[in-house]
Amino acid sequence: TFVVTDNCVKCKYTDCVEVCPVDCFYEGPNFLVIHPDECIDCALCEPECPAEAIFSEDEVPAGQEQYIELNAELADVWPNISEKKESLPDAEEWDGVPDKLQHLER
Ligand code: SF4
Ligand code: F3S
């Protein structure tokens, strides 16, 4: 499965959802997650993310392993998103800022 990681927080560009053939993205206030039971590992979303926040489960950067569990947990409670929308207003400023987990809203 693929996993959305730290750099999506406060950016939420949503380019990823447009290419997903099974619509397995779920949306929170300032972050998206992938449902691990629905992702078919097609890898189409990975290169689409301007923030380079999407990784295969076994390639998640060191220190971001907790996002694997977070994707699974939040995909069960957040609503589905299948169409691209405006990124968050300060997305460019937040793109690349490290350790954004503390800013994740539920
Ligand atoms: Fe969707 Fe494919 Fe990305 Fe999985 S890898 S979330 S199926 S686009
Ligand atoms: Fe997030 Fe990248 Fe998608 S910033 S919303 S994972 S395009």
Side-chain angles (χ1 to χ4, degrees), residues 3 12 17-18 27 36 47 50 53 57 66 69 74 86 91-92 96:
V3 178
K12 203 166 82 169
V17 305
E18 274 211 320
E27 182 184 23
E57 183 176 29
Q66 55 201 317
E69 195 53 42
L74 297 172
E86 286 282 298
E92 280 181 41

Side-chain angles (χ1 to χ4, degrees), residues 18-94:
E18 274 211 320
V19 298
C20 182
V22 294
D23 291 345
C24 64
F25 281 89
Y26 293 80
E27 182 184 23
N30 64 4
F31 186 56
L32 290 196
V33 292
I34 292 168
H35 199 305
D37 298 335
E38 298 173 1
C39 174
I40 58 170
D41 271 333
C42 72
L44 287 174
C45 58
E46 186 179 15
E48 294 302 317
C49 175
E52 298 183 6
I54 302 178
F55 295 90
S56 174
E57 183 176 29
D58 49 18
E59 291 174 356
V60 167
Q64 297 197 39
E65 295 86 355
Q66 55 201 317
Y67 278 95
I68 298 170
E69 195 53 42
L70 262 178
N71 275 244
E73 178 194 334
L74 297 172
D76 268 338
V77 293
W78 282 349
N80 188 255
I81 173 172
S82 58
E83 282 177 22
K84 182 174 166 55
K85 53 155 76 172
E86 286 282 298
S87 59
L88 291 175
D90 297 327
E92 280 181 41
E93 283 81 2
W94 283 97

Side-chain angles (χ1 to χ4, degrees), residues 4 7-8 11-16 25 32 48-51 53-54:
V4 185
N7 205 32
C8 177
C11 291
K12 203 166 82 169
Y13 285 111
T14 72
D15 300 72
C16 52
F25 281 89
L32 290 196
E48 294 302 317
C49 175
I54 302 178

